[in-house]
Amino acid sequence: MPPRSRLLSRSTWLAVLGPIVVVLFVAGFGRHLLVDWPTIATDPAFFQHTGWYVLKGGVPYVDVWDVNPPVPFGIAAVLAALSGGNMLVLHGLGATLTTLIAAASVLLVAWIARHVTGDDAAAIAAGLAMLVVPELFLLSPEGVRAQFYALFFGVLALALALRDRPFLAGTAAALSAGSWQSGAVFAMLIVGIAYQRTGAKGALRAIAGGGVVTGAVVLAFAATEGLVPMVVQTVVAPLTAGSSYTLAERVYTILLVFGYGSLLVPVALYGWARAAVSDVRERWWIPAGGLLLAFQVLFVDLDGSTDAFLWLAFVALGVAVAVERVTVGGSVTTNRRNDDASRSVRRWTAVAAVAVIALLVLSGLAWHFGSPASQSTLQTRQEAAEPEGESLPITPGDGNVPSMQTIYWEQAKPETCHYRLSWNEVRWIAMTDDRLDRRQCDGWPSRTDRG
């Protein structure tokens, strides 16, 4: 096949999926501009304000208490520098960049599926499966959120590892873990992939790539006396002050996040099993990543749709393997009788599979905006499954601090390090006998028990 023809063949999935991704993300961005702009949600306001605060001398984890790793703060600081200190411009930059990296994440997952399966239909199915959770393209225009960057750097790491770029893959994986703790799953996977493909030398290069990023972060915070607070807040605090939950409540949350797209979860489970049984030497990382991140959403952290994005990538890859199996299986059963009939069955099976997933993408929008009765039922059951409310001696309202929106737009330099006051933060304060009016969060707590 001539080089140009080969290129066109390999780009078929992109020609189909690319316009869909562009339309949905442009529509999501446009909707945000028309309906919500310049309103800013609490999380983007916090990340973007902290980025601005860093340029004014603020130190994350010392002047600002938070459980998130530092990469989103660094990204927001770069955007704040580009904005020239204008918070409206900063908000626009944050919204634009986050939308772009979310869209790129969908295409990267599709590319990975194409690389692994060699099947255009599987790649398109994987990309569409990412879009069954509409918050991916509806929330990204709101601005910087940690999970979007963890997803992007994580799937970028997988793509680089599959292209035999272990050092760069390790760098991207470290940026994923440095964006959100669950991104550490990608770091483990790419070391294994690098070892599988190029041996111990590749694994060491992946580790070295991650070590460069980790070392730079450690040195930066050690120089600003923020290393100990960073470890306390991003490692110790989430493990000891995480929200209480029940397994039933988390299952209902997954169903609420996926909506009608929940039908793809058993399909993904089949794809993971297929990868583990038929090609474990090459595709072991698909079920491994899916199961590790399933543990995250079921037992560690799932407070909303953004917390499921990393798992969604492996659900999409499981769907791709399942679609590959169905289309290839259809061709094999008829190949002995007639090659033309085989190709026809394969084509129409692929079209049918992609069409079903496309319908689920549209159903996701109906689920998000329509509030159907089934959604209300799930919400009721989720609330019934939640454990009894915690009897804490303080609440976020006791902090007597302005809202994050006020702090953001007024470019305030808060007098205390506790001004975001999430429930995780309030639980931590109560557990450690810390104070709401503490000016700096710069030390190891005297105790971390619930007594």
Side-chain angles (χ1 to χ4, degrees):
M1 180 183 291
R4 180 174 175 79
S5 299
R6 188 181 301 115
L7 176 63
L8 290 174
S9 175
R10 290 178 179 177
S11 300
T12 300
W13 67 269
L14 183 59
V16 175
L17 182 64
I20 296 173
V21 171
V22 170
V23 167
L24 288 177
F25 277 89
V26 168
F29 195 89
R31 177 187 177 276
H32 180 72
L33 292 180
L34 292 173
V35 177
D36 296 318
W37 185 264
T39 302
I40 186 168
T42 298
D43 283 354
F46 175 71
F47 283 113
Q48 290 165 197
H49 173 267
T50 303
W52 170 85
Y53 198 5
V54 166
L55 299 183
K56 300 300 180 180
V59 179
Y61 314 114
V62 175
D63 299 303
V64 182
W65 196 100
D66 190 48
V67 296
N68 290 285
V71 168
F73 301 137
I75 293 171
V78 172
L79 296 179
L82 294 174
S83 74
N86 186 307
M87 303 308 275
L88 185 61
V89 174
L90 171 57
H91 187 26
L93 291 173
T96 302
L97 179 62
T98 307
T99 299
L100 289 174
I101 63 101
S105 299
V106 175
L107 296 178
L108 280 169
V109 169
W111 182 91
I112 292 168
R114 178 64 173 80
H115 183 87
V116 169
T117 66
D119 185 53
D120 285 316
I124 296 167
L128 290 176
M130 292 290 291
L131 299 170
V132 299
V133 179
E135 286 80 5
L136 190 63
F137 53 87
L138 293 177
L139 293 185
S140 53
E142 292 186 353
V144 175
R145 291 178 187 264
Q147 295 89 341
F148 285 101
Y149 291 88
L151 171 65
F152 170 73
F153 288 123
V155 294
L156 177 61
L158 290 177
L160 289 168
L162 293 172
R163 292 284 293 175
D164 296 325
R165 302 289 189 271
F167 183 86
L168 293 176
T171 300
L175 289 171
S176 179
S179 298
W180 193 45
Q181 288 88 338
S182 295
V185 169
F186 290 102
M188 293 185 285
L189 295 179
I190 64 99
V191 171
I193 293 171
Y195 181 82
Q196 165 197 323
R197 296 176 68 88
T198 56
K201 187 176 181 180
L204 289 174
R205 285 181 176 176
I207 293 170
V212 168
V213 173
T214 304
V217 170
V218 167
L219 288 174
F221 280 94
T224 57
E225 299 182 352
L227 183 58
V228 170
M230 180 181 71
V231 172
V232 169
Q233 292 167 40
T234 63
V235 179
V236 180
L239 292 175
T240 57
S243 60
S244 56
Y245 60 87
T246 66
L247 180 59
E249 185 262 335
R250 290 296 172 88
V251 171
Y252 289 134
T253 302
I254 290 174
L255 296 176
L256 280 168
V257 167
F258 279 80
Y260 302 119
S262 300
L263 295 172
L264 292 182
V265 174
V267 177
L269 292 174
Y270 170 79
W272 297 347
R274 180 73 188 173
V277 170
S278 66
D279 196 11
V280 68
R281 288 180 60 85
E282 292 294 326
R283 302 183 184 182
W284 60 270
W285 53 272
I286 296 177
L291 292 174
L292 285 170
L293 289 166
F295 180 84
Q296 174 244 309
V297 298
L298 286 172
F299 300 104
V300 180
D301 186 19
L302 182 60
D303 294 327
S305 57
T306 56
D307 291 345
F309 285 165
L310 273 62
W311 188 54
L312 176 62
F314 286 90
V315 169
L317 292 173
V319 168
V321 174
V323 169
E324 175 207 26
R325 175 68 182 94
V326 170
T327 56
V328 172
S331 66
V332 170
T333 56
T334 60
N335 186 47
R336 296 172 183 173
R337 295 196 295 262
N338 187 294
D339 286 344
D340 290 338
S342 171
R343 284 192 293 270
S344 179
V345 169
R346 177 186 173 91
R347 183 186 308 115
W348 286 107
T349 302
V351 168
V354 169
V356 169
I357 300 174
L359 287 174
L360 290 176
V361 173
L362 295 177
S363 76
L365 289 169
W367 180 268
H368 181 86
F369 291 111
S371 297
S374 53
Q375 186 178 21
S376 299
T377 300
L378 279 173
Q379 288 173 334
T380 300
R381 292 182 177 179
Q382 178 197 44
E383 292 167 1
E386 290 179 353
E388 293 295 327
E390 298 169 275
S391 55
L392 295 174
I394 54 175
T395 67
D398 295 328
N400 194 29
V401 293
S403 69
M404 271 311 310
Q405 287 76 11
T406 299
I407 291 173
Y408 180 82
W409 292 117
E410 295 185 1
Q411 297 178 300
K413 295 182 180 179
E415 296 181 356
T416 70
C417 57
H418 292 297
Y419 62 87
R420 170 67 174 86
L421 288 178
S422 65
W423 277 105
N424 277 351
E425 187 171 353
V426 170
R427 278 190 292 270
W428 175 258
I429 294 170
M431 289 170 55
T432 59
D433 289 333
D434 202 353
R435 304 189 319 273
L436 284 169
D437 61 350
R438 186 168 180 170
R439 291 192 61 84
Q440 289 190 325
C441 300
D442 55 0
W444 197 273
S446 59
R447 70 179 182 92
T448 57
D449 58 271
R450 294 180 182 273

